[in-house]
């Protein structure tokens, strides 16, 4: 019996949420040709081979409409949505994949979490994506003491005016413990190889069991009407270490902070820096628009730049 010949796929890597190579968050994009179909197990093995926080599998166009389907994998699982893969894929399509400007301006990415409408500014090199969201602030926050138990460097700190940390989902299946610290020095003191937070304190609302990880932040500044904010953040996940940029976490945090202000129909803008402490500074832009009641999120727009780093061929 003749052996099947292996097939090849092209891939590229980019650094996302930055305009400088070797900063930001690395991303691999595997371009799937029309004659190659990869099973979930193969995609998972490829993501594990790259061993980046996320790998995107970009499907070929399926029709005349400006829409592309992508699958997002970590080294251990598929995700319904993630921020830096979305922005990195959009910048790649706009700058490298030969799409016409008018197509890029009306491009839709199809993800497991839903369609993402996007645009790209050729002058600034920034992509914007109106991301899928189903923002939920869970009823039971995480006790501050559980955070301290996982991060011993915080034992001498005070939690400010709160004794607990909100548990916030940006979509079902992606949840973050939003942990406010008071000073940049406190943020710098955190340990990447920390212990995991006791899972028994993660009490999601019914039916919302989820991937959950801590997201630490400091409010650096905000303007007088509190609608523009500069934030520094860190995401420390014991199983993967530190993430230089987490668009989904930044979006969840921005939505939470906007809802705390709660002005009807207001738009809040956030400049979130992440990865500074690990030498991979990232610049994440998030805009959150509230509905007419001021009690629900109407739109979340994630933005950022990306730069190409490498390209090659993989045998599958």
């Amino acid at each position: 019996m003749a052996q099947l010949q292996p097939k090849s796929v092209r891939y590229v890597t980019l650094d996302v949420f930055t305009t400088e190579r070797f900063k930001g968050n690395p991303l691999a994009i595997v371009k799937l040709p029309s004659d190659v179909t990869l099973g979930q197990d193969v995609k998972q093995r490829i993501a594990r081979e790259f061993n980046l926080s996320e790998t995107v599998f970009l499907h070929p166009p399926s029709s005349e409409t400006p829409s592309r389907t992508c699958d997002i994998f970590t080294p251990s699982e598929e995700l319904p949505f993630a921020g830096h893969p979305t922005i990195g894929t959009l910048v790649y399509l706009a700058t490298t994949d030969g799409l016409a400007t008018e197509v890029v301006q009306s491009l839709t990415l199809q993800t497991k979490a839903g369609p993402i409408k996007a645009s790209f500014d050729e002058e600034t090199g920034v992509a914007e994506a109106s991301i899928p969201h189903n923002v939920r602030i869970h009823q039971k926050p995480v006790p501050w003491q559980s955070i301290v138990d996982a991060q011993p460097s915080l034992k001498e700190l005070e939690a400010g005016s709160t004794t607990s940390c909100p548990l916030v989902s940006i979509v079902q299946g992606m949840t973050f413990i939003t942990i406010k610290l008071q000073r940049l020095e406190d943020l710098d003191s955190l340990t990447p190889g920390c212990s995991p937070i006791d899972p028994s304190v993660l009490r999601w609302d019914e039916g919302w069991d989820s991937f959950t990880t801590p997201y630490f932040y400091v409010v650096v500044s905000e303007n007088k009407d509190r609608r523009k904010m500069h934030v520094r953040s860190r995401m420390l996940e014991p199983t993967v270490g530190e993430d230089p940029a987490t668009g989904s976490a930044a979006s969840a945090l921005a939505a939470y902070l906007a809802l705390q202000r709660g002005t009807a129909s207001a738009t809040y803008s956030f400049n979130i820096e992440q990865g500074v402490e690990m030498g991979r500074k990232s610049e994440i832009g998030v805009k959150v628009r509230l509905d007419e009641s001021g009690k629900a999120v109407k739109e979340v727009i994630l933005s950022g730049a990306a730069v190409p780093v490498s390209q090659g061929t993989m045998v599958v």
Side-chain angles (χ1 to χ4, degrees):
M1 181 182 291
Q3 250 185 340
L4 291 175
Q5 291 296 314
K7 294 189 176 183
S8 298
V9 294
R10 300 285 299 170
Y11 71 86
V12 296
T13 69
L14 303 94
D15 286 333
V16 185
F17 290 124
T18 182
T19 57
E20 185 178 348
R21 286 179 183 84
F22 315 122
K23 301 285 186 180
N25 200 354
L27 172 72
I29 299 176
V30 177
K31 295 182 64 179
L32 299 177
S34 57
D35 63 339
V36 173
T37 301
L38 300 182
Q40 292 292 100
D41 59 329
V42 177
K43 291 177 184 176
Q44 190 63 74
R45 290 201 298 271
I46 291 172
R48 197 174 299 124
E49 181 76 12
F50 279 113
N51 201 32
L52 299 176
S53 57
E54 280 99 14
T55 295
V56 167
F57 295 87
L58 184 63
H59 294 257
S62 58
S63 67
E64 296 299 320
T65 60
S67 176
R68 298 293 291 271
T69 297
C70 64
D71 305 319
I72 302 170
F73 281 75
T74 73
S76 60
E77 63 183 332
E78 185 176 10
L79 297 178
F81 159 77
H84 101 277
T86 299
I87 295 299
T89 301
L90 291 170
V91 173
Y92 169 74
L93 289 170
T95 59
T96 313
D97 207 39
L99 294 181
T101 301
E102 61 271 16
V103 173
V104 173
Q105 293 303 324
S106 59
L107 184 68
T108 299
L109 277 184
Q110 299 290 344
T111 70
K112 293 294 193 303
I116 299 175
K117 293 183 179 179
S119 64
F120 179 76
D121 188 319
E122 289 184 286
E123 290 188 9
T124 63
V126 171
E128 283 193 347
S130 182
I131 66 169
H133 62 276
N134 184 11
V135 178
R136 191 174 188 97
I137 301 172
H138 297 263
Q139 294 181 31
K140 295 182 179 179
V142 175
W144 172 254
Q145 186 57 49
S146 297
I147 307 300
V148 172
D149 290 344
Q151 277 287 345
S153 67
L154 299 179
K155 284 184 179 177
E156 304 303 318
L157 303 182
E158 301 213 356
S161 59
T162 184
T163 57
S164 60
C165 303
L167 199 57
V168 182
S169 298
I170 185 64
V171 294
Q172 193 159 7
M174 298 207 73
T175 302
F176 302 92
I177 309 167
T178 54
I179 306 164
K180 184 177 182 180
L181 303 178
Q182 302 303 311
R183 306 175 305 162
L184 292 175
E185 292 87 345
D186 302 338
L187 202 63
D188 188 56
S189 73
L190 299 174
T191 306
C194 59
S195 302
I197 290 174
D198 181 0
S200 69
V201 303
L202 303 178
R203 299 178 181 178
W204 308 277
D205 292 351
E206 187 175 355
W208 281 74
D209 293 23
S210 173
F211 165 86
T212 302
T213 194
Y215 196 57
F216 299 86
Y217 73 99
V218 171
V219 176
V220 179
S221 64
E222 59 182 317
N223 67 351
K224 288 184 179 179
D225 66 4
R226 305 184 76 198
R227 294 194 185 185
K228 290 185 178 180
M229 189 177 297
H230 176 202
V231 174
R232 176 86 67 83
S233 67
R234 296 182 76 178
M235 199 201 87
L236 304 173
E237 217 293 317
T239 59
V240 298
E242 183 161 7
D243 195 26
T246 318
S248 52
S251 299
L253 174 63
Y256 167 73
L257 293 173
L259 287 167
Q260 298 313 294
R261 283 142 182 81
T263 302
S265 302
T267 298
Y268 296 89
S269 298
F270 300 85
N271 173 27
I272 300 177
E273 291 181 343
Q274 189 178 329
V276 173
E277 293 78 9
M278 61 186 299
R280 296 196 69 103
K281 180 181 176 181
S282 304
E283 299 268 1
I284 307 168
V286 186
K287 290 181 182 178
V288 178
R289 184 155 59 101
L290 301 185
D291 70 1
E292 294 76 8
S293 72
K295 296 179 180 179
V297 173
K298 190 169 187 176
E299 187 175 29
V300 179
I301 298 176
L302 180 68
S303 63
V307 289
V309 176
S310 68
Q311 58 184 334
T313 302
M314 175 176 284
V315 178
V316 295

